[in-house]
Amino acid sequence: MAILNILNYPDPKLHTIAKPIEVVDNSIRKLIDDMAETMYSAPGIGLAATQVDRHLQLILVDISETKDNLKVFINPKIIESSGQQVYEEGCLSVPDVFESVKRAEHIKVQALDREGKSFELEADGLLAVCIQHEMDHLLGKVFVEYLSPLKRNRIKIKMKKRAKEHLVNV
């Protein structure tokens, strides 16, 4: 397993639309394992392949306190949604930024698991938020795009300044 590099906003690669995974094979399972190690070490509760510069429809989610309930979604599709909830979200691609975002309260997702078997999952609360957040990455969308242009611009400036400071310190 390996820890992968996570792209940081406003990297234009975060706006790449992910392609469906045609075959779930050992290379996809290795990517899943590497992404899981990356997500847990970050630490985070979700990660999309787009965030590690692999533009495939693959997301991982684990909202458990014990970090032992990894959920893998390959080619996920939301087939039902209802209600609305506002949740304070953060993102591994936008470090140290937390903002309130409105999303569906209840969703039903259809996807493939790490073995390529189809499944459906109903989710609400934090799990529903996390799945929707990660699925947005597959569409090339970062959560800050739900914010006002002013807030989004402030975050973009903060992230660019942070990247420059990191380059100076390397």
Side-chain angles (χ1 to χ4, degrees), residues 74-135:
I74 297 170
N75 302 335
K77 290 179 180 37
I78 294 177
I79 55 175
E80 286 179 24
S81 65
S82 61
Q84 284 190 341
Q85 63 182 331
V86 175
Y87 232 95
E88 188 171 81
E89 296 185 25
C91 181
L92 294 177
S93 291
V94 193
D96 304 321
V97 173
F98 299 90
E99 293 288 343
S100 295
V101 176
K102 187 187 300 183
R103 297 201 184 264
E105 184 176 27
H106 181 85
I107 60 170
K108 186 183 222 180
V109 183
Q110 185 177 59
L112 301 176
D113 66 14
R114 75 177 280 131
E115 302 308 319
K117 292 185 176 79
S118 182
F119 72 94
E120 289 183 0
L121 175 84
E122 292 194 39
D124 51 23
L126 179 59
L127 182 57
V129 167
C130 193
I131 292 168
Q132 292 171 85
H133 174 111
E134 300 309 329
M135 285 181 69

Side-chain angles (χ1 to χ4, degrees), residues 9-10 94-95 97-99 143-144 147-161:
Y9 182 78
V94 193
V97 173
F98 299 90
E99 293 288 343
F143 88 102
V144 297
L147 307 176
S148 71
L150 179 63
K151 272 189 179 181
R152 192 169 51 245
N153 197 43
R154 283 186 182 150
I155 292 167
K156 192 180 288 186
I157 290 167
K158 179 181 175 181
M159 293 295 111
K160 285 180 176 177
K161 181 179 176 192

Side-chain angles (χ1 to χ4, degrees), residues 12-68:
K13 291 182 239 168
L14 287 169
H15 298 294
T16 304
I17 296 175
K19 293 178 173 35
I21 293 173
E22 302 296 327
V23 177
V24 179
D25 58 15
N26 286 337
S27 69
I28 296 299
R29 285 186 277 278
K30 180 178 182 339
L31 177 58
I32 290 167
D33 293 342
D34 291 347
M35 285 176 59
E37 185 174 1
T38 303
M39 179 183 79
Y40 289 131
S41 72
I45 60 171
L47 187 66
T50 300
Q51 292 176 272
V52 293
D53 206 14
R54 309 297 196 285
H55 303 287
L56 299 169
Q57 291 183 12
L58 169 62
I59 65 170
L60 307 182
V61 174
D62 186 347
I63 62 167
S64 70
E65 292 289 324
T66 50
K67 303 299 176 207
D68 61 357

